[in-house]
């Protein structure tokens, strides 16, 4: 047997869960870093155009286009559906935007209990080499789009969806969220307090993909979340976080507002996930009649 034949034989003997973890993690990590390589080598304007083309081709490929032809059906299945009803769009957009609010409120609350380590959060995100503020915003938006598309396809698509079929949704969401967290904990901002935030974001995105039977709401939510992360927390082009811990200021109004935003947004996202599951199940039944 040739070496490629042996590799294929060993690959097919691996449990589906391990194959899904490997493929999903590889696709998410590799595809998301294409933008960084383009940005550093081509400059913002040309890199943004090339990245837009890459993301369009990547979406086409992930939905089942292109080679290898033997895996087209599996790729399309992992991507889930891309046609949503009006009700699914409504609840999907609600879930997406309030998901982003949860994440940012969580970070605000974290740094009201401890000092915000600006140097750690900004490490590796210096955009001073980009000559103007508008171009820095272009870099932020493209960075958010790249992460949102590539990571959702990798983690909630290629990794989570096959595991759902074998192990159930709870196990699949836990596994995809764990590896989503593992990828991000290599960053300088990955403090101990950020672990539950990143893992919790992965859990919500996992259940959002499952309930909607689509990656689209999660991609939108991830994109909106990352615009705020890149622009505010990581680069500072949208401003600086200056609030002090409540051990110094006491429980003030901004802290209480952040608590209310977090709690309200969480309730809305959970409601939207439930309504999305109802809408998706109704849509499946309608199609089968």
């Amino acid at each position: 047997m040739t070496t490629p034949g042996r590799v294929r034989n060993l690959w097919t003997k691996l449990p589906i869960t391990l194959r899904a973890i490997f493929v999903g993690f590889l696709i998410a990590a590799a595809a998301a870093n294409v933008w960084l390589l383009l940005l550093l080598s081509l400059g913002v304007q040309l890199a943004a155009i090339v990245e837009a083309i890459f993301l369009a081709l990547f979406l086409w490929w992930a939905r089942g286009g292109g080679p290898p032809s033997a895996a087209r059906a599996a790729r399309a299945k992992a991507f889930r559906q891309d046609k949503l009803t009006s009700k699914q769009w409504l609840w999907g957009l609600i879930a997406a935007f309030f998901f982003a609010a949860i994440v940012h409120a969580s970070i605000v609350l974290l740094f009201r209990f401890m000092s915000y380590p600006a140097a750690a959060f900004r490490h590796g995100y210096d955009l001073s080499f980009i000559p103007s503020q508008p171009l820095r915003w272009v870099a932020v938006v493209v960075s958010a789009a790249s992460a949102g598309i590539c990571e959702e396809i990798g983690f909630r698509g290629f990794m989570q969806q096959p595991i759902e079929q074998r192990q159930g949704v709870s196990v699949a969401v836990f596994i995809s969220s764990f590896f989503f967290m593992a990828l991000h904990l290599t960053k300088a901002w990955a403090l101990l307090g950020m672990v539950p935030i990143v893992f919790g974001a992965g859990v919500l995105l996992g259940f959002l993909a499952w309930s909607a039977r689509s990656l689209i709401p999660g991609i939108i939510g991830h994109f909106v979340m990352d615009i705020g992360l890149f622009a505010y927390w990581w680069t500072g082009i949208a401003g600086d976080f200056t609030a002090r811990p409540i051990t110094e200021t006491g429980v003030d109004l901004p802290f209480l507002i952040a608590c209310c935003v977090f709690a309200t947004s969480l309730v809305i996202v959970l409601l939207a996930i439930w309504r999305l599951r109802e809408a998706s199940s109704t849509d499946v039944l309608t199609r089968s009649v």
Side-chain angles (χ1 to χ4, degrees):
M1 185 182 292
T2 63
T3 299
R6 290 194 188 97
V7 172
R8 278 195 299 271
N9 190 40
L10 289 172
W11 176 254
T12 56
K13 288 182 178 179
L14 286 175
I16 288 178
T17 297
L18 291 180
R19 279 187 274 167
I21 290 171
F22 177 80
V23 171
F25 194 91
L26 179 64
I27 286 176
N33 280 297
V34 169
W35 163 240
L36 178 61
L37 296 175
L38 292 173
L39 179 62
L40 294 177
S41 58
L42 300 179
V44 177
Q45 291 159 304
L46 181 57
I49 294 170
V50 176
E51 178 68 9
I53 296 170
F54 166 75
L55 290 177
L57 291 173
F58 182 62
L59 280 165
W60 169 73
W61 177 83
R63 291 167 58 189
S69 57
R72 285 178 181 172
R75 278 182 277 131
K77 188 176 181 181
F79 189 81
R80 305 172 191 259
Q81 67 179 2
D82 58 357
K83 293 181 180 179
L84 303 177
T85 65
S86 57
K87 190 173 183 180
Q88 287 173 312
W89 270 113
L90 172 63
W91 287 108
L93 289 174
I94 289 172
F97 286 103
F98 281 96
F99 160 77
I102 290 172
V103 174
H104 288 286
S106 298
I107 299 174
V108 168
L109 289 174
L110 172 64
F111 296 124
R112 294 306 310 276
F113 288 103
M114 60 179 288
S115 297
Y116 170 54
F121 262 60
R122 304 285 167 81
H123 181 71
Y125 295 93
D126 183 10
L127 298 183
S128 60
F129 69 96
I130 299 176
S132 69
Q133 191 77 341
L135 287 178
R136 289 171 189 162
W137 273 104
V138 170
V140 162
V141 171
V142 177
S143 297
S146 175
I149 291 171
C150 298
E151 291 179 11
E152 289 310 300
I153 289 174
F155 288 111
R156 259 60 70 175
F158 284 87
M159 184 183 295
Q160 181 178 310
Q161 194 277 336
I163 301 174
E164 281 180 25
Q165 304 303 306
R166 292 299 183 101
Q167 307 290 338
V169 62
S170 297
V171 172
V173 168
F174 177 86
I175 290 174
S176 66
S177 301
F178 175 82
F179 285 97
F180 175 74
M181 177 184 69
L183 178 67
H184 290 86
L185 291 185
T186 60
K187 309 294 184 181
W189 52 259
L191 312 171
L192 183 61
M194 288 297 296
V195 171
I197 296 175
V198 178
F199 183 78
V203 169
L204 289 175
L205 288 168
F207 279 111
L208 182 54
W210 165 77
S211 65
R213 301 184 193 272
S214 172
L215 298 182
I216 293 175
I219 288 173
I220 295 171
H222 199 142
F223 170 69
V224 174
M225 171 189 72
D226 273 1
I227 286 181
L229 290 173
F230 278 105
Y232 187 73
W233 297 103
W234 292 336
T235 68
I237 67 170
D240 295 304
F241 183 78
T242 58
R244 302 303 304 161
I246 58 172
T247 53
E248 300 177 17
T249 64
V251 177
D252 51 18
L253 182 59
F255 176 78
L256 294 175
I257 291 173
C259 290
C260 290
V261 169
F262 173 81
T264 303
S265 298
L266 181 59
V267 170
I268 292 173
V269 168
L270 293 177
L271 173 63
I273 287 173
W274 173 57
R275 295 303 298 268
L276 270 170
R277 190 61 184 174
E278 281 190 334
S280 299
S281 299
T282 302
D283 184 49
V284 170
L285 288 172
T286 302
R287 292 180 184 180
S288 63
V289 173

